[in-house]
Amino acid sequence: TPWQYLQHRRKRTRAVILFLSVKPSRQSEGLCRAMLQRLGVDLSRSGYTHVGGTWVSDENPASLKQIERFASRRLHRLHLFGKQLAR
């Protein structure tokens, strides 16, 4: 109901970043750092106290380093598995 939605909006404190990306040709220009900085400021102004994110591949050390510069910590690792199936 609209009332419950408004109640939720007042009590929210945690946001989740689902996807953050920079076009490969524009990487190493500081754009990701600027986006994270702006996002943090805007979320804080909106009343959020925590932010989380979806996974970053262990094989992407540049992105992991960028997230750690944002004063974040890793909560867990992700393991993806695959298997070739016989026909």
Side-chain angles (χ1 to χ4, degrees), residues 67-83:
I67 296 298
E68 288 170 352
R69 275 194 210 128
F70 189 57
S72 296
R73 62 184 171 85
R74 296 182 199 190
L75 298 177
H76 56 82
R77 293 183 61 171
L78 175 71
H79 299 277
L80 300 175
F81 299 90
K83 178 180 179 177

Side-chain angles (χ1 to χ4, degrees), residues 39-49:
L39 184 62
V41 169
D42 289 347
L43 287 173
S44 182
R45 285 183 184 159
S46 296
Y48 290 94
T49 58

Side-chain angles (χ1 to χ4, degrees), residues 5 7 22 43 45 58 61 79 83 86-87:
Y5 174 72
Q7 291 289 90
V22 175
L43 287 173
R45 285 183 184 159
D58 292 332
H79 299 277
K83 178 180 179 177
R87 289 178 139 203

Side-chain angles (χ1 to χ4, degrees), residues 2-17:
W3 176 250
Q4 289 171 321
Y5 174 72
L6 291 174
Q7 291 289 90
H8 169 73
R9 294 267 312 179
R10 285 186 346 165
K11 295 178 183 179
R12 73 200 190 303
T13 59
R14 185 174 187 271
V16 178
I17 301 170

Side-chain angles (χ1 to χ4, degrees), residues 19-68:
F19 189 78
L20 181 68
S21 179
V22 175
K23 188 176 177 180
S25 64
R26 301 295 307 266
Q27 291 176 354
S28 300
E29 295 180 16
L31 295 174
C32 186
R33 185 176 195 167
M35 288 190 299
L36 286 171
Q37 179 79 23
R38 177 62 186 261
L39 184 62
V41 169
D42 289 347
L43 287 173
S44 182
R45 285 183 184 159
S46 296
Y48 290 94
T49 58
H50 295 82
V51 64
T54 55
W55 66 276
V56 175
S57 172
D58 292 332
E59 296 177 10
N60 189 344
S63 289
L64 291 171
K65 187 174 180 182
Q66 188 67 254
I67 296 298
E68 288 170 352

